[in-house]
Amino acid sequence: MNWTLEVVVVPVSDVDRAKEFYAQRLGFVLDHDTDLGGVGRIVQLTPPGSGCSIVLGRGVVPEMPPGSLKGVQLVVPDLERARAELVERGVEVSEIQVMGQNPRPVPHPLDNVGFVFFRDPDGNEWSVQQISERG
């Protein structure tokens, strides 16, 4: 049995502001923006190269107030390049942090242990980890 993670719900207070942040600042691909007939709206976006999307919506999951999502992690093959791209797009992102000791420091010393962190406009917290090869 294969299990795939397909969607992560991101609770936001302003769908248009969040859509702009994820699409324009982070470069996520807009999959669809759907009006639910006056009861709500769902915007689905996918990070480039990812098999998992995010869904933005006000009141999509009432128990999740805007800004309550913590610990969602993206993985990139080149953390320095990803951080530079985020900075260029106007995202407030942390400096690169090394967390722990790399069990295999080749081909790159940041693999598995290099991270940066950022928040969306509502305070939802994301991390980005470098993994250039899976072994």
Side-chain angles (χ1 to χ4, degrees):
M1 175 68 64
N2 287 332
W3 298 60
T4 61
L5 180 62
E6 298 287 333
V7 173
V8 173
V9 175
V10 179
V12 299
S13 60
D14 182 327
V15 176
D16 287 321
R17 179 182 69 176
K19 177 182 169 184
E20 186 277 330
F21 177 81
Y22 286 99
Q24 303 305 315
R25 298 252 181 129
L26 295 183
F28 287 17
V29 176
L30 176 63
D31 299 322
H32 64 84
D33 185 340
T34 305
D35 182 358
L36 301 174
V39 295
R41 177 174 161 210
I42 293 177
V43 176
Q44 183 170 329
L45 302 109
T46 303
S50 179
C52 183
S53 300
I54 64 168
V55 167
L56 309 173
R58 191 175 52 257
V60 175
V61 180
E63 297 78 29
M64 290 178 68
S68 64
L69 185 69
K70 311 291 183 211
V72 177
Q73 184 168 301
L74 299 166
V75 172
V76 295
D78 183 336
L79 189 60
E80 292 160 329
R81 185 171 146 212
R83 184 183 184 282
E85 187 175 307
L86 291 172
V87 169
E88 185 178 298
R89 290 173 172 265
V91 176
E92 192 172 310
V93 61
S94 74
E95 295 295 327
I96 292 174
Q97 298 177 29
V98 175
M99 304 178 83
Q101 187 172 357
N102 190 339
R104 292 174 288 162
V106 287
H108 197 286
L110 287 177
D111 279 348
N112 305 303
V113 296
F115 292 84
V116 295
F117 303 90
F118 68 89
R119 293 182 174 151
D120 75 5
D122 282 291
N124 294 299
E125 296 177 2
W126 292 77
S127 64
V128 183
Q129 178 186 26
Q130 177 170 314
I131 300 177
S132 63
E133 287 186 359
R134 298 241 184 216

